[in-house]
């Protein structure tokens, strides 16, 4: 079970999308669940993705003070 960093819903990890902060400091989507690095989970629904970019959700999840850049291609 994992918690969505956007809405706080607790779900099976297979029902959530894993995001990883890679060695270059980019946020990448980890569909296979094998990327190394700190991971966070988010629901696949549009409201959670939209809410993800507001506030400090990503910074708090990854323990970063600066901005978090997203690389959707991995």
């Amino acid at each position: 079970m994992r918690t969505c960093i956007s809405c706080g819903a607790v779900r099976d990890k297979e029902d959530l999308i894993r995001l990883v902060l890679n060695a270059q400091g980019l946020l990448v989507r980890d569909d296979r669940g094998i990327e190394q690095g700190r991971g966070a989970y988010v629901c696949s629904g549009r409201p959670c993705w939209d809410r993800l970019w507001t506030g400090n959700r990503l910074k708090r999840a990854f323990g970063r003070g600066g901005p978090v850049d997203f690389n959707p291609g991995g």
Side-chain angles (χ1 to χ4, degrees):
M1 300 297 280
R2 301 290 187 264
T3 302
C4 173
I5 64 171
S6 185
C7 71
V10 177
R11 304 173 189 258
D12 288 330
K13 70 178 188 176
E14 293 82 20
D15 297 332
L16 298 169
I17 296 169
R18 182 172 188 248
L19 303 174
V20 175
L21 197 60
N22 70 12
Q24 291 78 29
L26 290 176
L27 187 66
V28 294
R29 184 175 169 158
D30 182 18
D31 290 330
R32 297 186 302 160
I34 61 170
E35 294 291 328
Q36 291 185 352
R38 186 170 184 156
Y41 293 83
V42 66
C43 295
S44 60
R46 181 69 185 214
C48 282
W49 277 96
D50 289 344
R51 198 171 27 243
L52 186 65
W53 306 107
T54 62
N56 292 321
R57 288 172 177 84
L58 290 170
K59 291 178 187 178
R60 202 171 35 242
F62 292 103
R64 297 209 28 166
V68 176
D69 295 323
F70 183 57
N71 180 9

